[in-house]
Amino acid sequence: MPFPLPNRFISKIEEVLNDWKLIGISSGKPLEKGVYTTGVWEEKSDEISFADFKFSITHHFLVQEPSDKDGKEEPVEDALPLPMQDLLCMNNDFPPRAHCLVRWYGLREFVVIAPAANNDAVLSESKCNLLLSSVSITLGNTGCQVPLFVQIHHKWRRMYVGECQGPGVRTDFEMVHLRKVPNQYTHLSGLLDIFKSKIGCPLTPLLPVSMAIRLTYVLQDWQQYFWPQQPPDIDALVGGEVGGLEFGKLPFGACEDPISELHLATTWPHLTEGIIVDNDVYSDLDPIQAPQWSVRVRKADNPQCLLGDFLTEFFKLCRRKESTDEILGRSAFEEEGKEVADITHALSKLTEPAPVPIHKLSVTNMVHSAKKKIRKHRGVDESPLNNEVLNTILLFLFPDAADKLADGFESRTSTSVGNNPPPENEDYNLFSQFKSAPSDSLTYKLALCLCMINFYHGGVKGVAHLWQEFVLEMRYRWENNYLIPGLANGPPDLRCCLLHQKLQMLNCCIERKKARDEGKRGSMPDRSPGGTSGDTGKGADHSGDNPDKEKEVGKSWESWSDSEEEFFECLSDTEDLKGNGQENGKKGGAKEGNKESVNLKPEGRLHPHGKLTLLHPGEPLYIPITQEPAPMTEDLLEEQSEVLAKLGTSAEGAHLRARMQSACLLSDMESFKAANPGCCLEDFVRWYSPRDYIEEEVVDEKGNIVIKGELSARMKIPSNMWVEAWETAKPVPARRQKRLFDDTREAEKVLHYLAVQKPADLARHLLPCIIHAAVLKVKEEEALEDISSVKKIIKQIISHSSKVLRFPNPEDKKLEEIIAQIMSVEAIIARARSLKAKFGVEKCENEEEKEDLQRFVNCLLEQPEVSVIGAGRGPAGSIIHKLFVNAQRVSAVPPLDEELRSVSSEERRLNTGTVSDFPPPTGREVILRTTVPRPATYSKPLPQRMYSVLTKEDFRLAGAFSADTTFF
């Protein structure tokens, strides 16, 4: 070649082929049937340059087990190269999913050189010839038997030319691509003519040509098989026809048919020239008579699905920035006069000195007046949610509210206390993985209701309205001691979302406040154990030991009240001792003026601690009634940790940190001193931390073995926190101590937190609950269909969601990925139901046929193409045939305007009688093969192949023509 640049290009190609070990004779096993579809295809890529023009070179190959080369290369030295043998192999014609060159030429391995950039193209004929010459020289220099292709023209045309060389043989790969097909090439006889003319075989009795033909028919109009899915009727739902529980369910299914087309491929795999006739006048190619049928379905692009729409719309709320006040209008909370105040300042109003009676400034009055202002400024018609919808939702969220109207206070509280034990199963415990809320909780139900409101009832305005009503209901329950239903008893569950923890915290506050108020009224013995704290419950159990004990429990620390009529903090030290003395005087427990602690009357006893006695007085050691530790939500714990961390590592900081952490210890010491007058620190340690009191046997002066005890080493450290706290502690029973848990303050903090939440904040809090509900929904729906691939995807969704939702403020991108996965599962299940409806799986009475159809439908979902057992005569084939027949009959019915014309009934009958069962084929594929000597009669017989595909858009011929390079 005259130019130096192609030589560099050629050497670079040779270097790449050598690196990929494609030099020399290629070997492999004969191809098994269907291996192109079931096998694994891989590719390797590199980049080479021709002058300034960059090309990518890619090796495509089918992964196969290495063959045993020993004893095979010797006897077949002049054997055809493997690619030439593949040209004649009929086991893998028309693979459903493969590279286009695999479909056109049947190759298991090839190399493609193409422009590196998508917009680059080799257009001129001279450049094409130069590249082909380079390929030919490369193959000759290296002895590579793998076909080498060059992509020419624009990439969308998929035009390739190439070459394959072997010892004394060469195959040229050529291609024709046309937009309009000449009439003579639309049938088999015309294609045979062009194939024979291209071969140009000099033999007069030409060997018969082997043919494989595939006709593809497309069914787009399903006619009577309308998509059965209908969106839920919300009006009927609210009207009570379905029932309020429907608010706790997410919708599911596609609103449109997720299957858009059915492609039927009818194949004649082994035909010999002369057996059938197919020309421009007549054709023997009847699809019903085809020996092989295969079907593939085309799925609708992004079908509209209800669950996916719900999730997507709810997720959009996370990006909204408006507050509830901005959405509903600030006029709702405008002040008119001094009597109306902002709800969030209710506590400060209560604590400030006021010239008016304090009951007029109560939170309850302010809430009700605020509600009146809201309704006054926002008319009924302007409200995003009408009363019927709102009442239905509120009754669903708060079922105990329905009892209030009928039975009053008692029935409402009785229905709201306690919950059924949670079922211990995998689905129920998902909330701990997703950090959401239990599926039977109020938070979970609230999330589902807000999701439905957002989609069906006014979007973000409806969400803001419902949330506002929810917050007002929370405040109402706090003010009136109504426990919140749907929440587990006990402190906040840190495995749940923060909003759920806040509601649990509010419930704890209500429970404490309710217990105090009931204790003050003297109704303690009548309370159920579910409404009391653990400490007072224990006291009640042992009230029979002492006649004064019952009175003590009735006036436990929980009876301390901050009701609207009286509001006071805990007593000071002097007042405490004075009050204690007065109380003792009233009860006649101790003589006036006796200030010795030993003579103080014991208070706040729960029960004796086994056989333990106090070390010095020798009286029984009593376990005191103590305050419960303050429950905390995760944000409070984090806040406390930050405060403690900021104190630093200095001695002073460590001391202050220890004092802050010892509030509960000090309270317990004071309770212990009140219950056990005359006790010492050793007595307290024996009960509170037995490991810190070391006992050992010693011999006394008289020679007797006695047990002597002493505090542990850490308790003897000078100025340690336990000693300081013991010296500071005064004998004060729990009922008269300063509360460790100020439920009034904590409740107001929770209510304020709820009131300032924006719809976006709310959506962020509740999105884990919605994802949790969506996963349960797809699991429930999948169980009805039993699709193995969906089971795997659901496990992946759970695993992915657990990692993403476990941490606060997950990234939007990761949340979108989870929602997309759930939507894909919904689409798969919807497709399964669509196919089951179309193939009448449920209507099939024969159990064996029903199982076969079910298996066929599942294969259609998971495989690119499925063979129809029995072709057109099998159960599935008969159904497919009917589908096409029905579509053809409907398409043959003339439009309304034609029917109005004067067409005779006889004419109409003749027209409908000539309707074919199948429409004209959408695609015609033909593979022609033969083995002939070429180019001369004395040349070696070599494989020749031509592939043809004809569709509405284009016509393509792909030929592989082999020639003898030794005897020509």
Side-chain angles (χ1 to χ4, degrees), residues 15 34 155 162 220 267 359 388 447 587 601 709 801 869 965:
E15 184 183 333
K155 288 200 172 184
Q220 292 176 313
T267 308
H359 68 273
E388 191 176 5
K587 294 181 182 179
K601 185 175 180 181
S801 302
I869 299 172
T965 57

Side-chain angles (χ1 to χ4, degrees), residues 434-499:
F434 288 3
K435 201 168 176 60
S436 57
S439 54
D440 56 355
S441 67
L442 173 66
T443 314
Y444 186 92
K445 293 177 182 177
L446 174 66
L448 295 179
C449 289
L450 287 172
C451 194
M452 183 170 284
I453 291 299
N454 179 57
F455 197 80
Y456 283 117
H457 295 282
V460 68
K461 285 190 175 182
V463 169
H465 186 186
L466 177 58
W467 179 242
Q468 187 184 70
E469 294 290 337
F470 184 87
V471 173
L472 291 174
E473 175 70 17
M474 292 299 100
R475 183 170 287 282
Y476 180 81
R477 285 176 176 268
W478 159 246
E479 282 293 307
N480 293 277
N481 293 350
Y482 293 149
L483 288 172
I484 305 168
L487 299 175
N489 295 326
D493 188 347
L494 301 183
R495 298 175 300 169
C496 301
C497 64
L498 182 58
L499 186 65

Side-chain angles (χ1 to χ4, degrees), residues 302-321:
N302 302 318
Q304 183 187 1
C305 294
L306 289 171
L307 181 61
D309 287 352
F310 263 58
L311 292 176
T312 305
E313 289 301 317
F314 192 78
F315 182 65
K316 287 178 182 176
L317 279 180
C318 298
R319 297 191 173 97
R320 301 296 292 258
K321 295 182 179 179

Side-chain angles (χ1 to χ4, degrees), residues 28-29 63-68:
K29 298 178 181 178
V63 178
Q64 291 180 287
E65 295 178 6
S67 59
D68 184 13

Side-chain angles (χ1 to χ4, degrees), residues 179 181 921-925 949-956:
R179 282 296 183 92
V181 57
T922 307
R924 295 173 63 98
E925 295 174 273
V949 58
L950 169 64
T951 64
K952 292 179 180 178
E953 291 80 20
D954 61 3
F955 170 70
R956 186 186 301 272

